[in-house]
Amino acid sequence: MALHVDYAAQRAFSRIIAGLRSARLDAELSQNALATGLPVRGRAVSEWETGAIEPTLGHLIQWSWELGRRLVIVGRDGELRYGPVRQRPGELWEAFERRRLAVPLRNRRLALGMAQGELGELVGVSRDSIQRWELVRVPPRPIAHVVWAQKLGYSLDTRPVADGGPRLRRVGSAGLALPGLSGQIGQQGQPGLTGQAERSASGPGSPAGELRAAADGRRG
């Protein structure tokens, strides 16, 4: 069964990649400097940006994060569709990010009364693939994630970290710290954020800002 990638899906995926390239240039980061934070070869970033190679979903999540952005699910009304806001005990950071993206799509399918097999036919994958994606057992390819969201009337996109939900700081591979949480619950059930969480995605202390400072240090 072949994945049903139409022009709209290709354009949506290209827009994500172009946005990340623009974010890197705005942060004045070289491809090699960005690659050190992923970590991959500098050539890999070039191949992703030119479309020569499709990154894995894990790489796309990390790539976005290092530039102060975050993958999000967006409804037709332009509003974000939020997933879980807290990690499960022992859950790795990447697995949490994948679950955060999968839950709104699963909820949408259920709200539409659509079976996994029916959705699989629309996407161009098996019922088992949809089940594995929803349970976060196997990550889809990024372009498949775009199609998955598209067939449910949603879209996959990126937003600055502070706009994509609570600003989570990656701590190794074991978990996330949540700096600046005020403890108040805002709209969509998201914890309120203090000034630290609302810093510019490319400013000092942000992922892109820290990488840029490191790159400046090497040039000096």
Side-chain angles (χ1 to χ4, degrees), residues 80-139:
L80 300 187
R81 297 299 188 261
Y82 292 106
V85 299
R86 290 183 177 84
Q87 277 178 284
R88 293 168 174 163
E91 185 177 37
L92 298 181
W93 171 74
E94 182 186 319
F96 168 75
E97 287 293 290
R98 285 166 42 203
R99 183 165 62 90
R100 185 180 57 78
L101 297 171
V103 167
L105 298 182
R106 177 180 179 274
N107 291 344
R108 173 67 168 173
R109 177 183 64 78
L110 293 174
L112 293 173
M114 187 182 296
Q116 290 174 331
E118 182 181 358
L119 177 58
E121 290 182 5
L122 293 175
V123 175
V125 297
S126 67
R127 172 195 173 278
D128 288 345
S129 291
I130 297 295
Q131 183 181 57
R132 288 193 291 265
W133 294 352
E134 289 185 347
L135 295 175
V136 199
R137 290 177 178 169
V138 176

Side-chain angles (χ1 to χ4, degrees), residues 26-77:
D26 289 345
E28 299 179 357
L29 284 172
S30 69
Q31 292 171 336
N32 285 333
L34 175 59
T36 60
L38 292 176
V40 295
R41 297 172 292 112
R43 180 179 175 184
V45 175
S46 174
E47 291 170 337
W48 295 344
E49 290 185 348
T50 60
I53 292 179
E54 181 184 349
T56 65
L57 182 59
H59 280 143
L60 186 60
I61 288 170
Q62 291 185 330
W63 182 13
S64 302
W65 190 267
E66 292 297 331
L67 291 169
R69 302 188 70 81
R70 197 179 195 190
L71 290 174
V72 293
I73 300 297
V74 185
R76 286 178 175 170
D77 56 3

